[in-house]
């Protein structure tokens, strides 16, 4: 029986040794993976990413996008192509037209958020004004479509009759006397 116990103990010892060796190998592989991740400086990684992104943007489907494109803009463009989104042209008082992409089921609030995001991205790319008070903007201006003010933030754009490529105007509110 001593021999059987010795064999069992030897098997257990071999098994334990195998587990420890496997664990050490696993830790070494994890360290090598971490070293691989650390081997590429952030600036080089960004350069590689931007080169890949520039290639993607050359695709005919995405050629309208800016060079410093965001994932959100790529997703919006793809959604447009599949008919899941629409472009609403926002006309500012200075004559500038902003092409704003929103989903087909968007509300007025979704449109306002998309306008804000569009302006933030534009500012990042061009510099200029650092802060816009959106409370002030929405207190001072209405969004108007075919003479109707888009006042209910929860109402869907399609309920106002807004479709793809329709124009919505920023209209300054008149002061009440």
């Amino acid at each position: 029986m001593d021999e059987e116990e010795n064999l069992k103990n030897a098997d257990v010892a071999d098994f334990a040794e195998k587990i420890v060796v496997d664990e050490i190998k696993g830790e070494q592989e994890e360290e090598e993976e971490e070293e691989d991740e650390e081997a590429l400086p952030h600036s080089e990684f960004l350069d590689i990413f931007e080169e890949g992104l520039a290639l993607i943007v050359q695709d005919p489907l995405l050629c309208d996008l800016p060079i410093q494109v965001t994932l959100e803009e790529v997703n919006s463009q793809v959604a447009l192509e599949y008919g899941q989104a629409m472009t609403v042209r926002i006309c500012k008082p200075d004559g500038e037209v902003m092409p704003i992409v929103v989903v087909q089921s968007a509300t007025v609030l979704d449109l306002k958020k998309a306008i804000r995001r569009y302006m933030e991205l534009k500012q990042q790319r061009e510099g200029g004004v650092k802060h816009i008070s959106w409370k002030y903007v929405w207190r001072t201006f209405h969004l108007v479509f075919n003479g109707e003010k888009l006042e209910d933030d929860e109402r869907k754009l399609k309920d106002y009759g807004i479709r793809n490529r329709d124009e919505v105007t920023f209209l300054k509110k008149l002061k009440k006397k």
Side-chain angles (χ1 to χ4, degrees), residues 4-148:
E4 278 183 13
E5 263 184 64
N6 286 339
L7 284 174
K8 285 181 185 178
N9 288 340
D11 288 342
V12 169
D14 288 343
F15 182 72
E17 184 180 61
K18 184 178 184 319
I19 290 175
V20 170
V21 168
D22 288 346
E23 207 171 297
I24 290 171
K25 284 181 183 177
E27 289 174 3
Q28 288 174 343
E29 288 173 1
E30 285 178 21
E31 288 174 6
E32 288 174 7
E33 287 175 8
E34 288 175 9
E35 288 174 8
D36 289 345
E37 290 173 7
E38 294 173 359
L40 198 58
H42 182 71
S43 59
E44 285 183 37
F45 178 77
L46 279 178
D47 291 342
I48 291 169
F49 175 76
E50 287 175 359
E51 287 173 14
L53 201 52
L55 291 173
I56 290 172
V57 174
Q58 290 176 357
D59 183 279
L61 175 70
L62 305 173
C63 64
D64 294 336
L65 295 174
I67 292 172
Q68 294 176 325
V69 68
T70 64
L71 179 60
E72 180 183 0
E73 291 171 312
V74 172
N75 287 339
S76 293
Q77 194 69 23
V78 170
L80 268 174
E81 289 298 319
Y82 283 104
Q84 298 168 344
M86 62 180 169
T87 301
V88 178
R89 297 167 41 91
I90 305 295
C91 302
K92 291 174 46 180
D94 63 2
E96 181 185 350
V97 177
M98 301 181 294
I100 306 295
V101 178
V102 292
V103 294
Q104 292 285 350
S105 60
T107 62
V108 173
L109 184 60
D110 294 331
L111 179 62
K112 288 179 178 180
K113 287 178 181 178
I115 291 169
R116 180 179 183 164
R117 181 73 178 133
Y118 176 88
M119 291 302 296
E120 288 170 352
L121 287 171
K122 183 178 178 185
Q123 287 174 343
Q124 285 176 1
R125 292 180 180 132
E126 297 174 1
V129 180
K130 296 294 179 205
H131 176 74
I132 293 176
S133 170
W134 289 99
K135 279 186 176 182
Y136 173 79
V137 169
W138 301 126
R139 265 195 328 248
T140 310
F141 291 91
H142 285 292
L143 290 174
V144 178
F145 177 69
N146 285 344
E148 185 178 1

